[in-house]
């Protein structure tokens, strides 16, 4: 049975600055990381909050959005971009909470407040440093108040029974990456959402950027197993940065996670086949490689269209190094 975390709190407890400093000095070994991961409650607890603007089932058609917001530097501008697309369900990834590079803010909570949405937020990593070299000029302090980095699910209607699933993979960010040391694991966060045609399961996820095709398939297999075990028979919408083609060439069709998804009855939606989902941003390379990383996977749902929207504010400022992926969910398939 897949490991599933369901404990929810209104605010996550963070290890203090002294404790994070102590952890930073420990040997970078897998067994130490695994012990810390078990001991730190914030890595297996969900923060829930927000005030959805309706307390009734979501009507069809509705709009879903998946967006890697690259830390969440501009929450209010990002919320305006989502509002312009009339997003009803939002899957966010790479969301800071109490990081100096994002002014110690909680961008997920700010976006949920701006959009009158409920949210569930989970910690993917506890950051032990201030971020990578490109991010440090944005730091407003020389410390992180909480040091959280994670994923979130938001909706205009209440989220029912939120859950979080850690995904397979070695703790490479703790043991190998000296520029951005972290504790934690890639994960999926989700909940049931009531609709006019019954409940569906929505999940926001972010697969490992330093992984390969085999690891991405294994991480998606974790998610599919979770759904089959706990939510068998319910329609499903998964959205996020699947890191397809990252470090493996430019053709998404070589990704075995898609063949696995098809075998499990899922369809993929990523906008036009030739429309990439990455772009230059304020904290990325000036001319990053153009890649198609972001997708929806659906089962038991009628998706009438999917589109990729430029991640720019009204003045043309890039809000992320990922564009915004949108899909229209027309209904439940009989």
């Amino acid at each position: 049975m897949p490991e599933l975390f369901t404990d929810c709190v209104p605010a996550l407890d963070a290890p203090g600055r002294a404790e994070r400093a102590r952890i930073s000095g420990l040997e970078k070994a897998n067994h130490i990381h695994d012990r810390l991961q078990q001991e730190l409650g914030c890595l297996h607890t969900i923060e829930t909050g927000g005030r959805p603007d309706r307390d009734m089932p979501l009507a069809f058609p509705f709009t879903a959005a998946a967006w890697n917001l690259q830390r969440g530097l501009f929450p209010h501008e990002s919320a305006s971009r989502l509002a312009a697309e009339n997003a009803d369900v939002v899957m966010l990834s790479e969301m800071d909470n109490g990081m100096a590079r994002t002014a110690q803010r909680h961008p997920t909570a700010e976006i949920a407040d701006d959009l009158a949405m409920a949210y569930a937020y989970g910690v993917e990593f506890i950051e032990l440093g201030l971020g990578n070299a490109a991010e440090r000029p944005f730091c407003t302090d020389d410390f992180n108040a909480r040091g959280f980095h994670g994923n979130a699910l938001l909706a205009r209607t209440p989220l029912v029974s939120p859950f979080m699933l850690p995904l397979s993979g070695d703790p490479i960010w703790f043991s190998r990456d000296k520029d951005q040391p972290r504790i934690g694991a890639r994960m999926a966060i989700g909940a049931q959402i009531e609709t006019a045609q019954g409940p569906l399961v929505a999940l926001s996820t972010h697969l490992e950027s330093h992984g390969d095709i085999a690891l991405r398939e294994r991480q998606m297999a974790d998610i599919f197993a979770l759904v089959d075990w706990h939510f068998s028979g319910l329609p499903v919408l998964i959205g996020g940065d699947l890191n397809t083609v990252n470090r493996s060439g430019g053709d998404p069709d070589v990704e075995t996670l898609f063949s696995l998804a098809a075998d499990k009855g899922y369809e993929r939606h990523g906008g036009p086949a030739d429309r990439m989902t990455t772009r230059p941003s304020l904290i990325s390379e000036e001319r990053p490689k153009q890649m198609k990383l972001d997708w929806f996977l659906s089962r038991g749902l009628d998706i009438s269209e999917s589109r990729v929207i430029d991640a720019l504010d009204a003045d043309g400022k890039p809000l992320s190094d990922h564009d915004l992926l949108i899909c229209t969910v027309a209904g439940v398939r009989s």
Side-chain angles (χ1 to χ4, degrees), residues 1-329:
M1 181 177 68
E3 184 178 26
L4 191 65
F5 302 133
T6 58
D7 289 343
C8 296
V9 295
L12 293 168
D13 287 331
R17 290 171 58 188
E19 174 64 5
R20 277 177 274 148
R22 184 190 71 82
I23 290 170
S24 294
L26 295 176
E27 179 190 359
K28 300 300 187 292
N30 286 10
H31 72 280
I32 292 176
H33 177 276
D34 293 346
R35 174 173 57 81
L36 292 167
Q37 194 172 15
Q38 291 297 316
E39 293 174 352
L40 294 166
C42 56
L43 292 174
H44 30 87
T45 308
I46 303 159
E47 179 177 308
T48 55
R51 295 177 179 270
D53 65 359
R54 64 195 73 163
D55 188 14
M56 61 185 69
L58 206 57
F60 291 102
F62 69 81
T63 300
W67 201 359
N68 179 327
L69 261 181
Q70 197 187 24
R71 320 311 185 201
L73 272 171
F74 308 107
H76 299 299
E77 296 93 328
S78 300
S80 295
R81 201 70 195 87
L82 289 162
E85 298 301 323
N86 297 310
D88 300 293
V89 175
V90 178
M91 293 105 162
L92 298 178
S93 52
E94 289 199 10
M95 299 301 293
D96 278 358
N97 177 355
M99 288 289 298
R101 65 192 175 198
T102 40
Q104 312 291 11
R105 298 165 74 171
H106 191 346
T108 296
E110 293 183 37
I111 291 170
D113 186 57
D114 284 358
L115 297 177
M117 288 185 165
Y119 75 85
Y121 174 85
V123 177
E124 185 175 63
F125 296 115
I126 299 172
E127 301 275 2
L128 299 176
L130 297 177
N132 63 39
E135 296 164 344
R136 289 176 200 136
F138 287 84
C139 290
T140 55
D141 298 296
D142 62 359
F143 66 92
N144 297 321
R146 290 178 290 279
F148 292 156
H149 188 59
N151 304 329
L153 175 68
L154 297 79
R156 292 195 186 279
T157 194
L159 298 173
V160 180
S161 303
F163 58 86
M164 183 167 65
L165 172 74
L167 303 180
S168 297
D170 295 329
I172 59 175
W173 293 93
F174 184 70
S175 58
R176 298 181 198 164
D177 191 291
K178 294 179 173 58
D179 189 44
Q180 197 168 357
R182 298 162 154 179
I183 300 169
R186 300 295 183 181
M187 59 83 158
I189 188 164
Q192 292 187 58
I193 295 175
E194 295 296 333
T195 78
Q197 297 179 9
L200 63 79
V201 180
L203 298 95
S204 172
T205 195
H206 184 197
L207 304 189
E208 179 52 59
S209 59
H210 284 228
D212 57 13
I213 288 174
L215 178 58
R216 290 192 283 273
E217 179 185 343
R218 187 153 50 106
Q219 292 182 332
M220 283 308 308
D222 292 340
I223 295 173
F224 297 150
L226 159 77
V227 171
D228 290 344
W229 185 273
H230 292 279
F231 305 104
S232 178
L234 291 183
V236 184
L237 184 65
I238 302 166
D241 176 1
L242 305 189
N243 268 303
T244 47
V245 313
N246 203 347
R247 306 173 190 275
S248 64
D251 183 4
D253 289 332
V254 306
E255 295 283 341
T256 55
L257 70 86
F258 288 133
S259 54
L260 176 65
D263 290 343
K264 293 284 188 179
Y266 289 86
E267 298 177 338
R268 66 177 177 177
H269 317 276
D274 60 351
R275 177 61 156 88
M276 302 296 104
T277 63
T278 57
R279 68 163 45 252
S281 78
L282 300 184
I283 50 175
S284 67
E285 302 172 33
E286 184 176 350
R287 295 190 179 186
K289 182 180 179 181
Q290 294 294 291
M291 296 183 287
K292 196 170 184 67
L293 306 182
D294 305 275
W295 302 86
F296 289 107
L297 298 174
S298 69
R299 187 169 74 180
L301 293 169
D302 179 13
I303 307 297
S304 59
E305 69 167 348
S306 60
R307 297 175 287 123
V308 181
I309 308 298
D310 288 342
L312 303 172
D313 72 1
D315 297 321
K317 177 177 65 182
L319 303 174
S320 173
D321 61 347
H322 287 244
D323 281 331
L324 169 61
L325 182 63
I326 294 286
C327 75
T328 301
V329 184

